[in-house]
Amino acid sequence: MNLAGVTPSLIMRFLNAVPQIVTMFKRVIATILAGLGLLTFSAPPFSVTEKMFMPGDEAFITEAVSDYWTVGFAKRVTTPLDILENPEKYYLAGYSNDAHPIEVMDDTFVRTVYIDDNSGRGGVLFSVIDGVGLSNKEVLEIRAAAADFTAANGIKSVNVSCTHAHCAVDIQGLWGPDSFTTGRSDEYNGYVKTLAVESMKEAFENRQDGKLYLGDITPDFDVFRDSRRPEVFEKTITRLRFEPFARNSDADDLYIACLSAHPECMAFQNVTLSADFPAYMGRYIAETTGGADFIFFNGAVGCLINGNGIDDIFKIISDELLLPKTPEGSDLSNFDKARAKMFNIMGEDTGALLLNTLDDLTTGDFDENDRLSAEKKTELRKNYTKSYGFTIGRYIMAVNNEQEINPILNIRFNPIMVPVENVLLELSVALK
């Protein structure tokens, strides 16, 4: 055997590839065995599911028992404490594999609101995590960790969801170093679950009596878009506002925002940790009110409902839409069309960061191939995220059709168990 061409670098590349080769080999063998009927999959017992399902109300009410609501709010920062010292421990979720955060643009959070209609049937907790998604198993674990507290305080329902942010830490595990290796960290997920329970307890302790108001707004321009046909998406932004009786100023209010869009403004090739546009939506609310807090509930995001204008950002970052080296571009250029669309969507006030970034380009912002530099692309995606979030916040604060809501909160869940019949799903569990 002639090993003259084998270099140390080739040997290291082979050794680094061994785990992937082993994983692929296991999958091939498992597929063959499954095809021969020699591999079976048994579902784990559902003792945790049965214990922590929390079905909610046995009976609904249609008339308010009380004339006020009781609401509490709390939040915890979920940004890993060592993210900048040990970025290799963490993967960003949602764009590509093996993307480690090299900077933090804004902190990620878990936010929790406690709501009670004072009907004597118990209150409800809603926690929202800045992340792409969380498994039902881990939601059940959060409920289990809070079980003694919820039982002692008559809390009838504990609900955990995610904002679906594509630039937060990968808590699902789908965007690890490669397609066969998880990006999920048990240590970090445990940390987030602990913080979620802490926020639940504090939200309950922070509860106040007051009024709830409901309103909505449909923006003049489509701030959302459906990137796949048929183009069907919810254009309305819904807002709940809690106003405590002990209110001293607008800063004491809590805003509950409901809309439907993927938080993926940071776009692909991103290596910056962020909660995406919800963070800047919240900042706009806080700045407008003097400090009011918020919680964001995402709706039907589909495949794919996201921010209008993001297609142009994608094209710019991937060099499909070349920007002019000077602001004096043709009125018919793709750049001018993109800028005009973003101006219509965001307006000059909340879109200023993005629009100024586009307008202030100089020849020094381009590389030797006349492409926008990597640094400028990063600045562009950041300022699009901020401007888009500010825009959503502006619409939330522009709601002017509020109506007071009677304190009636009915909630009920029924378990649905779907048997697994897809052999690939069975194998994915068997080979985890």
Side-chain angles (χ1 to χ4, degrees):
M1 181 180 297
N2 183 7
L3 299 179
V6 178
T7 64
S9 62
L10 286 175
I11 294 174
M12 289 303 300
R13 288 171 62 184
F14 173 76
L15 292 176
N16 290 335
V18 167
Q20 296 182 38
I21 295 171
V22 171
T23 300
M24 294 177 65
F25 180 74
K26 286 169 62 179
R27 291 176 178 270
V28 170
I29 296 300
T31 303
I32 294 173
L33 292 176
L36 295 175
L38 299 177
L39 178 69
T40 59
F41 170 70
S42 298
F46 290 97
S47 57
V48 176
T49 305
E50 295 166 358
K51 180 180 179 182
M52 298 313 305
F53 181 70
M54 303 187 76
D57 294 311
E58 292 184 3
F60 281 8
I61 62 172
T62 57
E63 297 290 336
V65 175
S66 173
D67 59 358
Y68 61 90
W69 294 86
T70 299
V71 174
F73 175 80
K75 62 185 178 183
R76 289 287 189 277
V77 175
T78 59
T79 306
L81 299 176
D82 63 342
I83 193 166
L84 297 181
E85 292 76 17
N86 299 293
E88 70 283 350
K89 288 176 55 178
Y90 306 101
Y91 297 89
L92 295 177
Y95 297 113
S96 60
N97 290 101
D98 203 26
H100 299 282
I102 64 171
E103 61 177 347
V104 175
M105 184 166 78
D106 53 82
D107 280 320
T108 54
F109 287 83
V110 54
R111 293 178 171 87
T112 298
V113 60
Y114 170 82
I115 305 179
D116 192 344
D117 62 4
N118 296 301
S119 63
R121 298 173 299 156
V124 180
L125 286 165
F126 296 94
S127 290
V128 180
I129 297 168
D130 284 326
V132 73
L134 200 65
S135 71
N136 181 57
K137 174 179 178 293
E138 293 191 282
V139 171
L140 296 172
E141 290 170 352
I142 290 174
R143 288 180 182 163
D148 291 343
F149 160 75
T150 55
N153 293 286
I155 295 171
K156 62 186 176 183
S157 183
V158 175
N159 307 275
V160 182
S161 62
C162 291
T163 61
H164 199 61
H166 281 281
C167 44
V169 172
D170 180 10
I171 54 177
Q172 281 189 316
L174 301 179
W175 292 274
D178 53 63
S179 299
F180 305 115
T181 308
T182 183
R184 179 187 178 281
S185 164
D186 289 336
E187 177 186 359
Y188 177 69
N189 278 37
Y191 176 64
V192 171
K193 288 183 283 189
T194 297
L195 294 177
V197 175
E198 289 181 5
S199 71
M200 292 177 185
K201 294 178 179 179
E202 185 181 344
F204 179 78
E205 293 300 323
N206 291 342
R207 64 195 187 280
Q208 298 184 72
D209 299 332
K211 301 288 187 179
L212 262 178
Y213 298 90
L214 173 67
D216 59 37
I217 189 170
T218 301
D220 299 331
F221 294 92
D222 285 343
V223 295
F224 312 123
R225 66 138 196 177
D226 189 346
S227 63
R228 300 182 184 180
R229 293 183 179 180
E231 295 182 4
V232 179
F233 59 97
E234 178 57 64
K235 299 183 179 183
T236 299
I237 299 171
T238 303
R239 184 187 90 181
L240 285 165
R241 182 176 64 87
F242 174 68
E243 184 178 295
F245 291 141
R247 183 178 190 259
N248 295 311
S249 68
D250 293 345
D252 295 320
D253 294 351
L254 172 67
Y255 289 81
I256 303 173
C258 307
L259 54 100
S260 302
H262 276 76
E264 58 178 4
C265 295
M266 291 295 286
F268 61 91
Q269 299 176 354
N270 171 58
V271 288
T272 301
L273 180 83
S274 172
D276 211 275
F277 79 77
Y280 299 93
M281 173 193 80
R283 288 191 186 184
Y284 188 92
I285 293 171
E287 291 171 1
T288 304
T289 60
D293 224 318
F294 79 100
I295 185 168
F296 166 62
F297 291 94
N298 213 339
V301 296
C303 286
L304 289 163
I305 314 301
N306 50 22
N308 201 357
I310 195 172
D311 49 338
D312 293 307
I313 298 298
F314 277 144
K315 289 176 183 177
I316 292 170
I317 292 172
S318 63
D319 296 320
E320 292 180 34
L321 196 164
L322 300 182
L323 301 188
K325 286 187 175 182
T326 60
E328 293 80 23
S330 167
D331 291 339
L332 300 178
S333 71
N334 288 330
F335 166 72
D336 285 334
K337 291 179 181 178
R339 191 200 179 284
K341 181 173 73 173
M342 291 178 186
F343 181 88
N344 289 335
I345 294 167
M346 299 180 183
E348 188 171 7
D349 51 353
T350 53
L353 278 172
L354 174 63
L355 297 172
N356 290 342
T357 303
L358 293 173
D359 291 343
D360 294 341
L361 294 174
T362 67
T363 55
D365 295 320
F366 295 80
D367 62 22
E368 64 277 8
N369 298 315
D370 293 336
R371 308 287 189 177
L372 196 64
S373 67
E375 293 78 13
K376 209 63 181 179
K377 288 178 180 178
T378 296
E379 180 182 339
L380 184 67
R381 60 161 60 93
K382 288 180 179 180
N383 288 341
Y384 171 72
T385 301
K386 294 175 182 178
S387 293
Y388 186 79
F390 293 156
T391 300
I392 300 299
R394 184 185 80 226
Y395 280 113
I396 289 171
M397 295 307 300
V399 169
N400 60 6
N401 60 356
E402 279 189 335
Q403 292 185 339
E404 185 179 342
I405 307 172
N406 288 329
I408 300 173
L409 177 56
N410 297 311
I411 189 166
R412 181 188 296 162
F413 294 94
N414 287 316
I416 299 176
M417 304 304 296
V418 180
V420 176
E421 298 177 351
N422 186 317
V423 66
L424 294 179
L425 292 178
E426 294 180 355
L427 287 173
S428 67
V429 176
L431 295 174
K432 65 180 180 179

PDB file of all heavy atoms in Angstrom, residues 318-332:
ATOM      1  N   SER A 318     -27.571  37.455  -0.231  1.00  0.00           N
ATOM      2  CA  SER A 318     -27.085  36.380  -1.114  1.00  0.00           C
ATOM      3  C   SER A 318     -26.549  36.913  -2.430  1.00  0.00           C
ATOM      4  O   SER A 318     -26.238  36.141  -3.338  1.00  0.00           O
ATOM      5  CB  SER A 318     -28.215  35.384  -1.386  1.00  0.00           C
ATOM      6  OG  SER A 318     -29.285  36.027  -2.077  1.00  0.00           O
ATOM      7  N   ASP A 319     -26.460  38.236  -2.553  1.00  0.00           N
ATOM      8  CA  ASP A 319     -25.918  38.895  -3.750  1.00  0.00           C
ATOM      9  C   ASP A 319     -26.779  38.702  -4.989  1.00  0.00           C
ATOM     10  O   ASP A 319     -26.309  38.865  -6.112  1.00  0.00           O
ATOM     11  CB  ASP A 319     -24.484  38.415  -4.043  1.00  0.00           C
ATOM     12  CG  ASP A 319     -23.509  38.795  -2.949  1.00  0.00           C
ATOM     13  OD1 ASP A 319     -23.622  39.915  -2.430  1.00  0.00           O
ATOM     14  OD2 ASP A 319     -22.649  37.966  -2.597  1.00  0.00           O
ATOM     15  N   GLU A 320     -28.058  38.385  -4.790  1.00  0.00           N
ATOM     16  CA  GLU A 320     -28.965  38.314  -5.933  1.00  0.00           C
ATOM     17  C   GLU A 320     -29.440  39.705  -6.331  1.00  0.00           C
ATOM     18  O   GLU A 320     -29.759  39.966  -7.489  1.00  0.00           O
ATOM     19  CB  GLU A 320     -30.176  37.439  -5.598  1.00  0.00           C
ATOM     20  CG  GLU A 320     -29.845  35.964  -5.409  1.00  0.00           C
ATOM     21  CD  GLU A 320     -31.078  35.151  -5.081  1.00  0.00           C
ATOM     22  OE1 GLU A 320     -32.162  35.486  -5.587  1.00  0.00           O
ATOM     23  OE2 GLU A 320     -30.958  34.185  -4.320  1.00  0.00           O
ATOM     24  N   LEU A 321     -29.524  40.583  -5.365  1.00  0.00           N
ATOM     25  CA  LEU A 321     -29.914  41.964  -5.624  1.00  0.00           C
ATOM     26  C   LEU A 321     -28.698  42.830  -5.300  1.00  0.00           C
ATOM     27  O   LEU A 321     -28.346  43.024  -4.148  1.00  0.00           O
ATOM     28  CB  LEU A 321     -31.110  42.358  -4.754  1.00  0.00           C
ATOM     29  CG  LEU A 321     -31.896  43.623  -5.139  1.00  0.00           C
ATOM     30  CD1 LEU A 321     -33.237  43.632  -4.429  1.00  0.00           C
ATOM     31  CD2 LEU A 321     -31.148  44.897  -4.832  1.00  0.00           C
ATOM     32  N   LEU A 322     -28.031  43.299  -6.328  1.00  0.00           N
ATOM     33  CA  LEU A 322     -26.812  44.081  -6.139  1.00  0.00           C
ATOM     34  C   LEU A 322     -27.167  45.536  -5.852  1.00  0.00           C
ATOM     35  O   LEU A 322     -27.959  46.151  -6.568  1.00  0.00           O
ATOM     36  CB  LEU A 322     -25.930  43.987  -7.380  1.00  0.00           C
ATOM     37  CG  LEU A 322     -25.478  42.565  -7.757  1.00  0.00           C
ATOM     38  CD1 LEU A 322     -24.571  42.619  -8.979  1.00  0.00           C
ATOM     39  CD2 LEU A 322     -24.764  41.908  -6.604  1.00  0.00           C
ATOM     40  N   LEU A 323     -26.578  46.078  -4.807  1.00  0.00           N
ATOM     41  CA  LEU A 323     -26.853  47.458  -4.438  1.00  0.00           C
ATOM     42  C   LEU A 323     -25.915  48.401  -5.186  1.00  0.00           C
ATOM     43  O   LEU A 323     -24.762  48.066  -5.480  1.00  0.00           O
ATOM     44  CB  LEU A 323     -26.657  47.641  -2.931  1.00  0.00           C
ATOM     45  CG  LEU A 323     -27.536  46.769  -2.036  1.00  0.00           C
ATOM     46  CD1 LEU A 323     -27.376  47.208  -0.589  1.00  0.00           C
ATOM     47  CD2 LEU A 323     -28.993  46.857  -2.435  1.00  0.00           C
ATOM     48  N   PRO A 324     -26.404  49.605  -5.509  1.00  0.00           N
ATOM     49  CA  PRO A 324     -25.524  50.578  -6.183  1.00  0.00           C
ATOM     50  C   PRO A 324     -24.453  51.079  -5.232  1.00  0.00           C
ATOM     51  O   PRO A 324     -24.679  51.216  -4.032  1.00  0.00           O
ATOM     52  CB  PRO A 324     -26.498  51.695  -6.572  1.00  0.00           C
ATOM     53  CG  PRO A 324     -27.613  51.584  -5.576  1.00  0.00           C
ATOM     54  CD  PRO A 324     -27.761  50.128  -5.276  1.00  0.00           C
ATOM     55  N   LYS A 325     -23.282  51.344  -5.779  1.00  0.00           N
ATOM     56  CA  LYS A 325     -22.188  51.832  -4.940  1.00  0.00           C
ATOM     57  C   LYS A 325     -22.437  53.252  -4.445  1.00  0.00           C
ATOM     58  O   LYS A 325     -21.837  53.691  -3.476  1.00  0.00           O
ATOM     59  CB  LYS A 325     -20.873  51.791  -5.721  1.00  0.00           C
ATOM     60  CG  LYS A 325     -20.316  50.383  -5.912  1.00  0.00           C
ATOM     61  CD  LYS A 325     -18.937  50.457  -6.531  1.00  0.00           C
ATOM     62  CE  LYS A 325     -18.310  49.084  -6.631  1.00  0.00           C
ATOM     63  NZ  LYS A 325     -16.951  49.135  -7.191  1.00  0.00           N
ATOM     64  N   THR A 326     -23.291  53.969  -5.109  1.00  0.00           N
ATOM     65  CA  THR A 326     -23.642  55.316  -4.684  1.00  0.00           C
ATOM     66  C   THR A 326     -25.159  55.436  -4.680  1.00  0.00           C
ATOM     67  O   THR A 326     -25.845  54.681  -5.372  1.00  0.00           O
ATOM     68  CB  THR A 326     -23.050  56.373  -5.644  1.00  0.00           C
ATOM     69  OG1 THR A 326     -23.582  56.141  -6.952  1.00  0.00           O
ATOM     70  CG2 THR A 326     -21.534  56.268  -5.682  1.00  0.00           C
ATOM     71  N   PRO A 327     -25.701  56.354  -3.913  1.00  0.00           N
ATOM     72  CA  PRO A 327     -27.162  56.488  -3.836  1.00  0.00           C
ATOM     73  C   PRO A 327     -27.823  56.889  -5.145  1.00  0.00           C
ATOM     74  O   PRO A 327     -29.034  56.776  -5.283  1.00  0.00           O
ATOM     75  CB  PRO A 327     -27.359  57.578  -2.777  1.00  0.00           C
ATOM     76  CG  PRO A 327     -26.087  57.586  -1.992  1.00  0.00           C
ATOM     77  CD  PRO A 327     -25.015  57.239  -2.978  1.00  0.00           C
ATOM     78  N   GLU A 328     -27.043  57.338  -6.130  1.00  0.00           N
ATOM     79  CA  GLU A 328     -27.643  57.822  -7.372  1.00  0.00           C
ATOM     80  C   GLU A 328     -27.934  56.665  -8.324  1.00  0.00           C
ATOM     81  O   GLU A 328     -27.400  56.567  -9.427  1.00  0.00           O
ATOM     82  CB  GLU A 328     -26.723  58.835  -8.078  1.00  0.00           C
ATOM     83  CG  GLU A 328     -26.541  60.133  -7.314  1.00  0.00           C
ATOM     84  CD  GLU A 328     -25.527  59.993  -6.185  1.00  0.00           C
ATOM     85  OE1 GLU A 328     -24.684  59.090  -6.261  1.00  0.00           O
ATOM     86  OE2 GLU A 328     -25.607  60.775  -5.227  1.00  0.00           O
ATOM     87  N   GLY A 329     -28.781  55.749  -7.920  1.00  0.00           N
ATOM     88  CA  GLY A 329     -29.148  54.635  -8.781  1.00  0.00           C
ATOM     89  C   GLY A 329     -30.295  55.023  -9.693  1.00  0.00           C
ATOM     90  O   GLY A 329     -30.955  56.042  -9.514  1.00  0.00           O
ATOM     91  N   SER A 330     -30.548  54.225 -10.709  1.00  0.00           N
ATOM     92  CA  SER A 330     -31.639  54.479 -11.634  1.00  0.00           C
ATOM     93  C   SER A 330     -32.974  54.361 -10.910  1.00  0.00           C
ATOM     94  O   SER A 330     -33.143  53.544 -10.016  1.00  0.00           O
ATOM     95  CB  SER A 330     -31.581  53.478 -12.791  1.00  0.00           C
ATOM     96  OG  SER A 330     -32.780  53.518 -13.528  1.00  0.00           O
ATOM     97  N   ASP A 331     -33.926  55.180 -11.295  1.00  0.00           N
ATOM     98  CA  ASP A 331     -35.255  55.094 -10.687  1.00  0.00           C
ATOM     99  C   ASP A 331     -35.913  53.748 -10.951  1.00  0.00           C
ATOM    100  O   ASP A 331     -36.856  53.361 -10.260  1.00  0.00           O
ATOM    101  CB  ASP A 331     -36.148  56.216 -11.231  1.00  0.00           C
ATOM    102  CG  ASP A 331     -35.710  57.583 -10.740  1.00  0.00           C
ATOM    103  OD1 ASP A 331     -35.011  57.631  -9.708  1.00  0.00           O
ATOM    104  OD2 ASP A 331     -36.070  58.573 -11.388  1.00  0.00           O
ATOM    105  N   LEU A 332     -35.457  53.049 -11.958  1.00  0.00           N
ATOM    106  CA  LEU A 332     -36.040  51.756 -12.319  1.00  0.00           C
ATOM    107  C   LEU A 332     -35.230  50.594 -11.772  1.00  0.00           C
ATOM    108  O   LEU A 332     -35.535  49.446 -12.053  1.00  0.00           O
ATOM    109  CB  LEU A 332     -36.137  51.642 -13.858  1.00  0.00           C
ATOM    110  CG  LEU A 332     -36.988  52.716 -14.543  1.00  0.00           C
ATOM    111  CD1 LEU A 332     -36.974  52.522 -16.066  1.00  0.00           C
ATOM    112  CD2 LEU A 332     -38.419  52.685 -14.037  1.00  0.00           C
TER     113      LEU A 332
END
